[in-house]
Amino acid sequence: MTRVALLDDYQEVALRLADWGSLPAGVDVVVFRDHASDEAAVAARLAGFDAVVAMRERTPFPRSLIQRLPRLRLLVTTGMRNASIDLRAAADHGVAVCGTGGLPYPTAELTWALILALVRHVPREDRGTREGRWQETLGTGLNGKTLGVLGLGQLGSRVARVGRAFEMEVLAWSQNLTTERAAAVGASLAGSRDELLARADVVTIHLVLSERTRGLLGARELALMRPSAYLVNTSRGPIVDERALIDALRAGAIAGAGLDVYDEEPLPVDHPLRRLPNTVITPHLGYVTEETYRIFYTQAIENVRAFLAGAPVRVLQP
């Protein structure tokens, strides 16, 4: 019997969004709806499985974990990039790693949900209205303001175009961005990262986490932002120095932050970001839509079926 583990099905939707019954006879699929963060607990949980389907970076697979799973032969990640999987260690231990497709727009849409919630104080006003209060805040309009986009790939470009629809000035910056590329989506190329931070009313991050971008925004960079400016991060938590951000929010050095990603996920229950009133925080929902999940799980099934047939597809190379 081949045993397949589906990890971190927080919403309890994995089995109904794809036809797992289409896998060959003798394949046993087990769903784990809770999250195990301790490596020893994860190793014990997965010791009896031949294949694992991981949801994005929710459960890391470093070398230390992979070598504790001698039965594992197939690791499927949703999406075609997963920085939390050690691909070289997987190859060294004879584990095939395969990815899936996804959709480019859900994270861009959530970015705008966070921006609008921040500038119009939606969470506070929603709570106040339910509790019997009326009009507690003064919001800020976006028309004529400056949107600073760090990273102008698929996601950043979508966010920039929506900014233009709100009649915002759009500034963009990344290390290799050109004036022509920025102009193609209605943005102007900032002369530097620091210029973008100093001029923008809203700064939104759409960069891939790498050694080059880890800690890209620290205390010095946050100090360049206006006290009336907002920061939004739907990319990866470690791109921003979390402690520096917390300090800036507490001091009122920036007006607020909309965050979907964190250094540690799930966010610990005692984390200070949960208690800061000038934040809107969501639990890494950028890609979490029914449309995305149907692609993830349908292609995960294809990956398992192809692997069992001896012809793996969508293989990720070290």
Side-chain angles (χ1 to χ4, degrees):
M1 174 180 290
T2 299
R3 302 192 72 216
V4 180
L6 308 185
L7 301 187
D8 298 309
D9 181 19
Y10 297 157
Q11 297 90 359
E12 301 186 16
V13 296
L15 295 182
R16 72 173 176 84
L17 291 180
D19 185 10
W20 294 93
S22 67
L23 288 171
V27 176
D28 179 33
V29 177
V30 178
V31 179
F32 293 97
R33 297 183 171 90
D34 62 321
H35 177 74
S37 56
D38 178 73
E39 185 176 298
V42 176
R45 170 174 287 187
L46 300 181
F49 288 91
D50 307 277
V52 171
V53 178
M55 177 57 74
R56 304 303 296 125
E57 288 102 357
R58 289 178 186 174
T59 298
F61 282 82
R63 180 177 294 271
S64 56
L65 174 59
I66 292 171
Q67 65 189 13
R68 296 169 76 169
L69 300 173
R71 183 168 167 174
L72 183 64
R73 287 294 171 264
L74 172 65
L75 179 55
V76 177
T77 174
T78 51
M80 289 301 292
R81 180 190 295 120
N82 190 327
S84 71
I85 294 175
D86 188 331
L87 295 177
R88 173 55 60 191
D92 290 345
H93 288 80
V95 179
V97 182
C98 301
T100 74
L103 293 172
Y105 62 82
T107 300
E109 292 177 351
L110 183 73
T111 297
W112 279 102
L114 291 174
I115 292 172
L116 292 168
L118 278 169
V119 301
R120 299 301 296 271
H121 309 291
V122 172
R124 178 176 172 182
E125 294 291 3
D126 173 83
R127 184 170 57 253
T129 303
R130 294 174 189 276
E131 295 174 356
R133 300 186 298 278
W134 196 254
Q135 288 196 11
E136 296 183 304
T137 66
L138 192 63
T140 301
L142 294 174
N143 188 294
K145 300 297 196 302
T146 298
L147 176 69
V149 183
L150 291 173
L152 208 60
Q154 279 199 72
L155 295 178
S157 295
R158 288 176 178 272
V159 170
R161 292 189 186 100
V162 176
R164 294 293 297 164
F166 276 107
E167 299 182 50
M168 300 182 76
E169 178 187 357
V170 180
L171 281 179
W173 178 88
S174 65
Q175 285 194 329
N176 299 313
L177 184 63
T178 65
T179 300
E180 293 74 22
R181 170 61 185 150
V185 296
S188 299
L189 177 63
S192 66
R193 174 191 56 188
D194 289 0
E195 178 191 341
L196 182 147
L197 293 171
R199 290 179 56 187
D201 297 289
V202 177
V203 175
T204 179
I205 300 170
H206 302 285
L207 297 163
V208 174
L209 178 62
S210 67
E211 289 309 308
R212 189 169 64 180
T213 61
R214 186 179 296 273
L216 185 73
L217 299 189
R220 188 195 75 82
E221 290 75 25
L222 293 170
L224 296 172
M225 295 177 61
R226 301 174 183 178
S228 59
Y230 294 91
L231 177 69
V232 175
N233 188 4
T234 57
S235 181
R236 290 296 182 271
I239 294 174
V240 180
D241 181 327
E242 195 167 83
R243 173 47 56 187
L245 176 60
I246 290 169
D247 290 345
L249 290 166
R250 282 175 169 163
I254 62 174
L259 305 172
D260 189 46
V261 289
Y262 312 91
D263 286 359
E264 181 181 351
E265 299 180 6
L267 192 66
V269 295
D270 60 347
H271 198 284
L273 284 172
R274 291 181 181 266
R275 300 188 298 275
L276 289 172
N278 52 348
T279 61
V280 178
I281 58 174
T282 50
H284 205 150
L285 292 178
Y287 61 93
V288 181
T289 65
E290 180 174 342
E291 296 84 356
T292 303
Y293 272 34
R294 287 191 183 279
I295 293 172
F296 282 174
Y297 287 127
T298 297
Q299 293 192 5
I301 291 170
E302 294 172 359
N303 289 344
V304 174
R305 187 184 297 115
F307 178 80
L308 294 175
V313 294
R314 307 185 191 94
V315 177
L316 304 185
Q317 302 295 338

